[in-house]
Amino acid sequence: MKPVKVGVCGLGTVGSGTVNVLRRNADILSSRTGRNIQVAQIAARRPNPSCDTADIPVTPDIFEVANNPEIDILVELIGGYDVAKKLVLTAIKNGKHVVTANKALIAEHGNEIFSAAREKNVVVAYEAGVAGGIPAIKALREGLVGNRINWLAGIINGTGNFILTEMKDKGSPFADVLKQAQDLGYAEADPTFDVEGIDAAHKLVILAANAFGTPLAFDKTYTEGISKVTPQDLQYAQELGYRIKHLGIARRTEQGVELRVHPTLIPESHLLASVDGVMNSVLIDGDAVGQTLYYGAGAGSEPTASAVVADIADIARLIDTPQVAVPPVAPLKDGREVPVLSITDVHAACYLRMSAKDRPGVLMRVTEILGQNGINIDALLQKEGQESGGAVDIVLLTHDIRESLLSAALKEIEALDDIIGSVAHIRVEHL
Ligand code: HSE
């Protein structure tokens, strides 16, 4: 049979890893898919010394690949939005299957891209976009296909996880560890996407769309980063038997779907609590299987290439079967309009930290406000303040409470003359 011809656009970290894995493991891939998979063209502005491109035609023009009639599968690894979208849509228009690691593109423009792919009956696959080498999309689409997914939760940004891990282990403040993450090459010069939760939100909406069969809803996702978490929060959480992790959470409820990314206290005995450093992990709860947990590298050249190559292999297996047998690897065919719940309608337990003037009756006034708003206290710590001046830290864990009620109570507490500044508020999940 003639080989399946792949065109790789972008020869950066993931592109070079992909070419290297495809070449190194060509024999394994051929025996597993029944097809030879050949890198027939690469589009790159400059060579990458970590990748041997000998015998492969290289062009500086990515659209040459999208318009090359020889190419069966275009692999988009250039990143970004506008040009990547145009490239992918051109490839689809030309009847090519597409594999991408671009979570931002899929999360924000996926509905349009999948619709174009369905019209041309081609596959758009994006396993590498979510949690790097972890086959989380495949788990949802294949291994768990018989399940109604109840919820999923994941540590899906390695940079953020590294920062929280270092802050906990060393007691260092956020800004210092961020600088360290940048020096180590984990965080970008502009770290906003990683530390403010946007990258995790991109991944979460893709997971949720696959889990629930709903359209991609990035603009409706609640996103909160880790920049306000302090070493004290990590320490107090530990004293209460918890760890703070930056989680993406998607949950199906009677009222709609919860989509939220935020720092979260989880019990220290939970397996997710020991996912440290740059590692990623995804926990999925299905009605038949119960909970399953996936762990691995969320980034890096070959871990991400592993997922890109898996998508290429899937397409290679099916490419010459009648086209109706090739399902578009898109999250939905029958996307129902399921509402995404506003964060104010979410119920969660909460960790609260406030700095209070050390004088009689403060605790009573705080707990009175919580009680009046129907908020039940689960645990309480009072600590000497970090700075002199008579301030003390009050730390509380609440039982589950509707977010809108909690916000109202926090406004009242912050208005007390006893309380200095705002109240830090981190949600708690028992998973
Ligand atoms: N910047 C991401 C992370 C990796 O730190 O997890 C690519 O999504």
Side-chain angles (χ1 to χ4, degrees):
M1 271 202 272
K2 70 183 178 57
V4 173
K5 296 199 174 176
V6 174
V8 176
C9 295
L11 203 58
T13 307
V14 181
S16 59
T18 298
V19 173
N20 288 340
V21 173
L22 282 172
R23 297 187 101 175
R24 189 174 74 233
N25 294 342
D27 53 344
I28 298 174
L29 283 161
S30 163
S31 69
R32 289 181 181 160
T33 63
R35 299 296 296 261
N36 286 328
I37 297 172
Q38 182 193 335
V39 182
Q41 194 172 26
I42 290 172
R45 267 179 279 176
R46 60 191 77 84
N48 185 330
S50 58
C51 180
D52 176 10
T53 56
D55 309 328
I56 305 173
V58 180
T59 167
D61 179 6
I62 48 175
F63 286 93
E64 226 182 85
V65 180
N67 290 313
N68 180 348
E70 290 284 300
I71 297 296
D72 301 302
I73 305 172
L74 180 139
V75 181
E76 184 277 301
L77 300 171
I78 61 170
Y81 294 96
D82 294 344
V83 179
K85 181 177 167 193
K86 195 168 161 214
L87 178 70
V88 164
L89 290 175
T90 306
I92 292 170
K93 179 168 71 66
N94 290 335
K96 297 185 195 316
H97 304 287
V98 171
V99 172
T100 177
N102 190 336
K103 71 229 75 173
L105 178 70
I106 295 298
E108 298 195 35
H109 300 289
N111 294 324
E112 180 186 344
I113 289 169
F114 295 142
S115 158
R118 274 191 287 278
E119 265 178 39
K120 297 295 285 189
N121 214 8
V122 295
V123 173
V124 175
Y126 45 82
E127 179 68 69
V130 179
I134 301 176
I137 301 297
K138 276 188 214 312
L140 286 166
R141 291 184 50 81
E142 297 171 16
L144 305 180
V145 67
N147 285 259
R148 179 175 290 271
I149 304 299
N150 297 317
W151 55 264
L152 59 87
I155 295 170
I156 44 181
N157 182 269
T159 306
N161 199 35
F162 170 82
I163 292 173
L164 288 179
T165 305
E166 287 290 305
M167 285 174 70
K168 170 180 76 67
D169 289 347
K170 313 258 169 69
S172 314
F174 170 80
D176 291 5
V177 185
L178 171 59
K179 168 82 177 50
Q180 189 190 342
Q182 284 170 324
D183 292 345
L184 286 166
Y186 297 147
E188 306 286 335
D190 176 359
T192 314
F193 266 43
D194 288 326
V195 301
E196 295 307 339
I198 300 159
D199 176 76
H202 284 146
K203 295 165 182 167
L204 180 72
V205 300
I206 297 172
L207 285 168
N210 280 277
F212 308 130
T214 49
L216 296 151
F218 174 71
D219 53 347
K220 298 188 181 125
T221 303
Y222 175 79
T223 306
E224 186 183 315
I226 56 170
S227 54
K228 295 196 181 74
V229 177
T230 67
Q232 285 74 40
D233 290 324
L234 291 151
Q235 173 64 33
Y236 296 154
Q238 207 160 341
E239 289 179 36
L240 291 160
Y242 292 83
R243 295 273 187 277
I244 300 178
K245 291 292 179 187
H246 196 209
L247 292 192
I249 299 169
R251 182 177 278 123
R252 197 167 49 83
T253 73
E254 288 295 313
Q255 291 72 39
V257 172
E258 290 177 15
L259 286 178
R260 47 194 172 102
V261 172
H262 50 70
T264 313
L265 269 75
I266 55 175
E268 66 185 351
S269 57
H270 196 283
L271 281 171
L272 270 187
S274 38
V275 174
D276 280 339
V278 291
M279 298 309 279
N280 280 204
S281 190
V282 180
L283 177 66
I284 303 175
D285 185 275
D287 67 343
V289 72
Q291 293 189 6
T292 56
L293 181 67
Y294 309 84
Y295 170 89
S301 178
E302 292 211 357
T304 311
S306 165
V308 172
V309 171
D311 280 342
I312 294 170
D314 273 355
I315 297 170
R317 282 192 186 103
L318 294 167
I319 207 160
D320 281 338
T321 57
Q323 286 297 291
V324 286
V326 184
V329 184
L332 65 142
K333 276 183 175 163
D334 57 344
R336 293 159 297 124
E337 276 305 320
V338 178
V340 176
L341 294 181
S342 156
I343 192 71
T344 53
D345 293 328
V346 165
H347 286 72
C350 276
Y351 159 101
L352 304 175
R353 172 181 49 78
M354 60 201 82
S355 178
K357 292 175 188 163
D358 190 9
R359 57 192 187 196
V362 176
L363 209 47
M364 184 199 70
R365 287 187 280 281
V366 168
T367 54
E368 197 170 39
I369 292 174
L370 292 174
Q372 281 163 354
N373 283 279
I375 299 166
N376 198 359
I377 297 167
D378 189 29
L380 192 148
L381 285 177
Q382 182 173 312
K383 294 286 186 178
E384 276 178 2
Q386 301 300 311
E387 288 156 27
S388 59
V392 292
D393 276 352
I394 298 173
V395 177
L396 290 152
L397 284 186
T398 74
H399 284 276
D400 265 16
I401 182 71
R402 191 189 173 104
E403 189 100 0
S404 53
L405 290 176
L406 182 73
S407 301
L410 295 189
K411 275 207 186 90
E412 285 184 53
I413 292 172
E414 284 167 354
L416 290 174
D417 178 51
D418 308 301
I419 299 300
I420 304 158
S422 53
V423 179
H425 155 214
I426 305 178
R427 296 165 191 88
V428 180
E429 290 286 334
H430 290 97
L431 304 170

